[in-house]
Amino acid sequence: MHKTKEPTEKQICIAFYKQFRQLQNLNYFKKPLLVFHVVNEQFNASFAYTNSLLNMGLVPGVADYGILYPPGKIAFLEFKRNAKCKQRPCQVEFQEQCDKLGIPYTVQWTPDGAIEWIDSL
């Protein structure tokens, strides 16, 4: 039996954003939304570069996407490849900070799940 390869988190993010933009162009969402990817990858950077990013305010563990929606609200969306993939400790910490501030936060595994969650905001 041939096993299909599971998509990477990056592939899921790309599929999600493509689907989001298509739906947005079709006026699918009930309210205006600004969805943006938060570049927070410090794994392949040098120590000096990572340190300079931290000094500029980089917050380790920030979710993959920020979502701005009216009236002046924000939410965060994190993708993982599947339910077996766990958040890193810094991601859990960021989620806990969001919870304390009353900011919606979710971990999703599929573009469809993310779209459904965004539509419910």
Side-chain angles (χ1 to χ4, degrees):
M1 186 181 318
H2 180 18
K3 227 178 174 182
T4 58
K5 188 175 179 185
E6 186 175 88
T8 65
E9 186 176 314
K10 181 178 180 179
Q11 290 169 327
I12 294 168
C13 285
I14 291 169
F16 156 73
Y17 195 70
K18 183 178 180 180
Q19 183 177 343
F20 169 78
R21 293 293 293 155
Q22 288 172 339
L23 290 171
Q24 191 176 43
N25 288 336
L26 294 170
N27 297 313
Y28 170 83
F29 299 101
K30 301 172 216 139
K31 57 187 153 257
L33 299 162
L34 175 60
V35 173
F36 57 94
H37 178 66
V38 179
V39 179
N40 198 17
E41 301 297 327
Q42 64 243 30
F43 300 112
N44 297 325
S46 70
F47 174 78
Y49 182 67
T50 298
N51 198 42
S52 69
L53 292 176
L54 290 167
N55 286 328
M56 292 186 320
L58 174 87
V59 177
V62 170
D64 294 318
Y65 289 92
I67 301 140
L68 300 176
Y69 61 103
K73 295 183 178 182
I74 190 166
F76 289 97
L77 166 63
E78 174 67 31
F79 278 105
K80 292 295 178 193
R81 285 192 320 268
N82 60 46
K84 293 178 189 173
C85 294
K86 302 298 177 197
Q87 292 172 284
R88 294 187 322 272
C90 60
Q91 292 173 319
V92 171
E93 184 179 322
F94 181 77
Q95 182 177 1
E96 289 170 350
Q97 290 175 344
C98 288
D99 291 343
K100 287 178 188 173
L101 293 168
I103 297 170
Y105 181 104
T106 189
V107 176
Q108 295 290 325
W109 302 274
T110 65
D112 288 341
I115 295 294
E116 186 177 314
W117 181 76
I118 289 170
D119 200 33
S120 74
L121 291 172

